[in-house]
Amino acid sequence: MNRSVHREHTEREALVETLVAKGIKDEGVLAAIYSVPRHTFVDPIFERRAYEDSALPIDCQQTISQPYTVAKMTELLQVKKYDKVLEVGTGSGYQACILAEMGARVFTIERHLDLLNRARKMFDKLGYNIASRTGDGTVGWSEYAPYDGIIVTAGAPEVPQSLVKQLADGGRLVIPTGSQQSQSLVIVTRKGSEFGYSEIGGFKFVPLVGKEGWQK
Ligand code: SAH
């Protein structure tokens, strides 16, 4: 192993330890965080900070979420192998790759074509088979619905009902909702025709912009 590869592995190990210390327990999530090279998703000027537990800027004034947030949301989604998962807000593509690494069949939507093109290159480079398109993800992706999991990685004013409608029986939706300054993660679980809601406070995301999101 050359020195830089070794450094990345040591840093990724340290990141996993940080996440465990912050309460992440799902072994599948931790293994995926260890496997997916986050430094390849960030701008070269931030590469050295890729394994710190912080959000970092990407193009189009967006951010790659903080690793803790990615881990927490993925844990809340309770992803199982072969689950069909919809992600709204592809951004860098990192979260989509974490889900794919865990064996999910991933569908992801991004409103900025520039970001999506870049993310698609990453999917190819790392060998993940992920379906993606541009558009407004607040209305979901009805062609492939229903989904076992739906994860929204941008903050909404409220839970888009179109997404709730695309949940499979037994499915879970994880979405930050609140003001544009701070949000809670809302977890919607579907059991037959019953929908359960719970939430965890204290998160900060870029805004979800669209028909069932913020207007801008
Ligand atoms: N999951 C990403 C995080 C990106 S930040 C990652 O791992 O890097 C959230 C992303 O949501 C931004 O790229 C933003 O452009 C996108 N977004 C915001 N509103 C959207 C909408 N209505 N539909 C699809 N993408 C949206």
Side-chain angles (χ1 to χ4, degrees):
M1 214 184 266
N2 71 38
R3 194 175 295 164
S4 90
V5 171
H6 182 71
R7 196 198 78 212
E8 284 152 17
H9 280 269
T10 311
E11 290 182 12
R12 253 182 270 170
E13 229 163 64
L15 174 60
V16 167
E17 278 167 24
T18 302
L19 298 178
V20 169
K22 290 185 176 180
I24 303 298
K25 294 186 182 70
D26 186 319
E27 293 289 339
V29 172
L30 295 167
I33 299 264
Y34 183 73
S35 299
V36 179
R38 189 171 186 261
H39 68 280
T40 60
F41 291 83
V42 303
D43 192 283
I45 58 166
F46 294 112
E47 211 176 291
R48 281 180 44 236
R49 298 185 50 199
Y51 297 103
E52 289 175 15
D53 189 21
S54 51
L56 291 169
I58 55 175
D59 286 351
C60 305
Q61 297 178 316
Q62 304 302 317
T63 55
I64 178 172
S65 305
Q66 180 184 348
Y68 173 74
T69 303
V70 172
K72 186 69 190 175
M73 291 181 90
T74 310
E75 186 170 77
L76 289 168
L77 211 55
Q78 299 182 1
V79 185
K80 295 183 304 298
K81 211 170 178 182
Y82 309 123
D83 273 359
K84 204 200 279 183
V85 176
L86 174 67
E87 180 197 27
V88 176
T90 316
S92 68
Y94 178 71
Q95 170 77 71
C97 290
I98 293 287
L99 295 164
E101 177 65 30
M102 293 177 71
R105 292 173 290 156
V106 184
F107 298 78
T108 184
I109 309 179
E110 169 56 52
R111 60 189 286 267
H112 290 293
L113 178 61
D114 285 1
L115 288 176
L116 190 63
N117 282 337
R118 213 174 255 226
R120 281 174 170 158
K121 285 197 188 118
M122 293 303 302
F123 301 158
D124 287 347
K125 186 173 155 191
L126 299 175
Y128 293 112
N129 185 10
I130 291 171
S132 63
R133 71 165 173 87
T134 49
D136 176 8
T138 65
V139 296
W141 191 344
S142 57
E143 288 90 329
Y144 297 102
Y147 300 96
D148 304 301
I150 303 178
I151 177 170
V152 181
T153 64
E158 51 200 52
V159 179
Q161 286 310 302
S162 296
L163 295 182
V164 175
K165 287 187 187 130
Q166 291 178 25
L167 274 183
D169 192 4
R172 300 167 75 83
L173 161 65
V174 179
I175 177 170
T177 60
S179 68
Q180 288 201 7
Q181 284 67 46
S182 81
Q183 302 90 31
S184 299
L185 287 181
V186 174
I187 304 108
V188 184
T189 45
R190 176 177 170 199
K191 287 205 177 72
S193 56
E194 302 278 301
F195 292 86
Y197 287 79
S198 60
E199 63 177 76
I200 306 172
F203 290 84
K204 171 89 179 89
F205 289 78
V206 295
L208 181 74
V209 178
K211 188 162 174 258
E212 296 184 43
W214 297 100
Q215 296 317 301
K216 66 187 196 90

